[in-house]
Amino acid sequence: GENVEQHPSTLSVQEGDSAVIKCTYSDSASNYFPWYKQELGKGPQLIIDIRSNVGEKKDQRIAVTLNKTAKHFSLHITETQPEDSAVYFCAASRGGGSNYKLTFGKGTLLTVNP
Amino acid sequence: NAGVTQTPKFQVLKTGQSMTLQCAQDMNHNSMYWYRQDPGMGLRLIYYSASEGTTDKGEVPNGYNVSRLNKREFSLRLESAAPSQTSVYFCASRPRRREHTEAFFGQGTRLTVV
């Protein structure tokens, strides 16, 4: 099955700095890579996703890059703000429809210090 | 819209007791999922239901059973709770389409087995 490794497990940055979280996956057939943000006491919420036919995607201060050859993808957050503090999960999936099963990384606790 | 609603939010069980975690979604989604979240382990898939009337095992199904009661509801049952089942449980749903779509998560049920 798919295996997703995520690093680092914790990340502390100063407000305004950039944060980068990296993930690798094992299944070359995976073609969908979402990122979820989980605030304390809440369920995960999708913040950005990327499909295997795209190398990079941006949404305001958040960007995700994908390197299919190396089987790794990364989340980039620029101009970090205290409200970005949360646990971030990467995930990978192959197929759609009934084959849709997300495999998650173990998460990164991001702390943005004011 | 309420989205994905889980009940209860908190529960303490004694070893050997049984209970059912309830999940309901009001987004007319076909597919529903149960995950467990443990410290340092990320989110692991327990069971899923690709559509009404079907259920399949995920990564960690032992000790659990599920029922897709109708399109809206997907319950998770622990027949004989064990301390190893202490965890936070999340239900999720998504539309079933050929392409990948966002999974929406509930707020979670925090279960402690003593």
Side-chain angles (χ1 to χ4, degrees), chain A residues 31-32 36 38 41-46 51 87 89 93-98 100-107, chain B residues 31 33 35 37 40-43 45 48 50 57 90 94 96-108:
Chain A
N31 55 13
Y32 177 64
Y36 283 82
Q38 185 180 28
K42 297 185 177 181
Q45 186 169 10
L46 180 74
R51 288 160 174 74
V87 178
F89 292 98
S93 172
R94 59 186 292 181
S98 59
Y100 182 98
K101 287 186 289 184
L102 284 172
T103 300
F104 285 86
K106 294 183 178 180
Chain B
S31 302
Y33 307 81
Y35 288 88
Q37 183 177 26
M41 296 296 293
L43 290 147
L45 183 64
Y48 68 103
K57 295 178 180 179
F90 287 98
R94 64 175 281 275
R96 181 183 176 186
R97 297 184 187 147
R98 289 179 60 187
E99 70 278 10
H100 292 289
T101 56
E102 177 180 356
F104 293 83
F105 285 80
Q107 297 274 58

Side-chain angles (χ1 to χ4, degrees), chain B residues 33-72:
Chain B
Y33 307 81
W34 275 106
Y35 288 88
R36 62 177 287 173
Q37 183 177 26
D38 302 294
M41 296 296 293
L43 290 147
R44 292 182 293 171
L45 183 64
I46 305 171
Y47 270 93
Y48 68 103
S49 172
S51 60
E52 187 179 355
T54 68
T55 61
D56 286 287
K57 295 178 180 179
E59 182 185 354
V60 288
N62 291 345
Y64 305 95
N65 285 300
V66 290
S67 295
R68 184 72 183 267
L69 305 170
N70 47 55
K71 191 172 185 180
R72 290 187 64 248

Side-chain angles (χ1 to χ4, degrees), chain A:
Chain A
E2 174 68 277
N3 182 49
V4 178
E5 299 283 343
Q6 182 172 349
H7 298 280
S9 57
T10 60
L11 179 60
S12 181
V13 300
Q14 290 299 122
E15 183 177 358
D17 287 351
S18 295
V20 180
I21 303 170
K22 299 181 179 182
C23 290
T24 60
Y25 60 98
S26 62
D27 187 351
S28 56
S30 288
N31 55 13
Y32 177 64
F33 308 93
W35 286 88
Y36 283 82
K37 177 183 180 182
Q38 185 180 28
E39 297 177 341
L40 193 62
K42 297 185 177 181
Q45 186 169 10
L46 180 74
I47 55 170
I48 195 168
D49 58 13
I50 191 168
R51 288 160 174 74
S52 60
N53 58 349
V54 175
E56 183 176 4
K57 183 176 180 181
K58 288 184 179 180
D59 184 3
Q60 299 182 335
R61 297 185 296 109
I62 294 173
V64 58
T65 58
L66 172 65
N67 183 327
K68 286 169 50 181
T69 302
K71 290 191 282 189
H72 68 71
F73 55 112
S74 301
L75 178 71
H76 304 254
I77 306 174
T78 59
E79 300 173 17
T80 54
Q81 301 167 5
E83 51 264 41
D84 294 329
S85 296
V87 178
Y88 291 81
F89 292 98
C90 62
S93 172
R94 59 186 292 181
S98 59
N99 292 321
Y100 182 98
K101 287 186 289 184
L102 284 172
T103 300
F104 285 86
K106 294 183 178 180
T108 296
L109 174 61
L110 173 65
T111 303
V112 180
N113 301 301

